[in-house]
Amino acid sequence: MTDALELDALWEEFHRVVNMTSQELAAWLRVRDAGENTESLPDEAGTPTGQHVLAILQKRRTDLTDDDIRVMHRVVDTVTAQTDPESEPETESADDTHRRHRLMTIGHDPLKP
């Protein structure tokens, strides 16, 4: 497990990059998985990582598991690598929309202030 100072820093960074609330993320995962012919059960909608992020958002820091910490590191690394606040586009192209939707599945909306 991570020491207390590292965990505090990770917790803060995770909640900085995951800028969607648990309600917003849950709604996005349901919308993303809704299809014309099929629709996931609401509690099972979204990617496994998206579901894990949602579960972490509903936990207290003291309740985190080693698996939660691994996911938090991965989410922080992914969002940091795929976003650059200096170059966020003013208008979205299809590639930007796809990137935004990919990031939203892990709780980060690049268009959200």
Side-chain angles (χ1 to χ4, degrees):
M1 188 107 164
T2 312
D3 74 26
L5 288 176
E6 290 176 12
L7 184 57
D8 287 347
L10 176 61
W11 180 263
E12 295 300 320
E13 186 67 5
F14 176 80
H15 282 87
R16 185 186 67 75
V17 300
V18 175
N19 63 359
M20 296 170 70
T21 66
S22 58
Q23 294 86 2
E24 290 169 332
L25 178 56
W28 170 251
L29 294 175
R30 284 191 304 272
V31 166
R32 184 183 167 277
D33 272 9
E36 189 173 307
N37 298 323
T38 66
E39 186 168 338
S40 302
L41 296 172
D43 292 341
E44 297 173 6
T47 64
T49 302
Q51 283 295 317
H52 203 144
V53 169
L54 186 58
I56 292 168
L57 289 174
Q58 297 168 345
K59 288 185 175 188
R60 296 176 304 174
R61 186 180 338 201
T62 57
D63 296 332
L64 295 174
T65 65
D66 288 342
D67 197 36
D68 294 336
I69 292 169
R70 278 190 293 279
V71 168
M72 290 170 71
H73 276 293
R74 191 168 67 232
V75 166
V76 167
D77 291 346
T78 299
V79 172
T80 302
Q82 293 188 24
T83 59
D84 179 4
E86 300 296 317
S87 67
E88 285 297 324
E90 302 257 338
T91 59
E92 281 194 55
S93 69
D95 287 340
D96 293 332
T97 300
H98 181 67
R99 179 180 72 85
R100 177 181 181 224
H101 289 177
R102 219 176 35 248
L103 287 168
M104 287 174 67
T105 64
I106 59 173
H108 179 79
D109 184 351
L111 298 182
K112 192 173 181 183

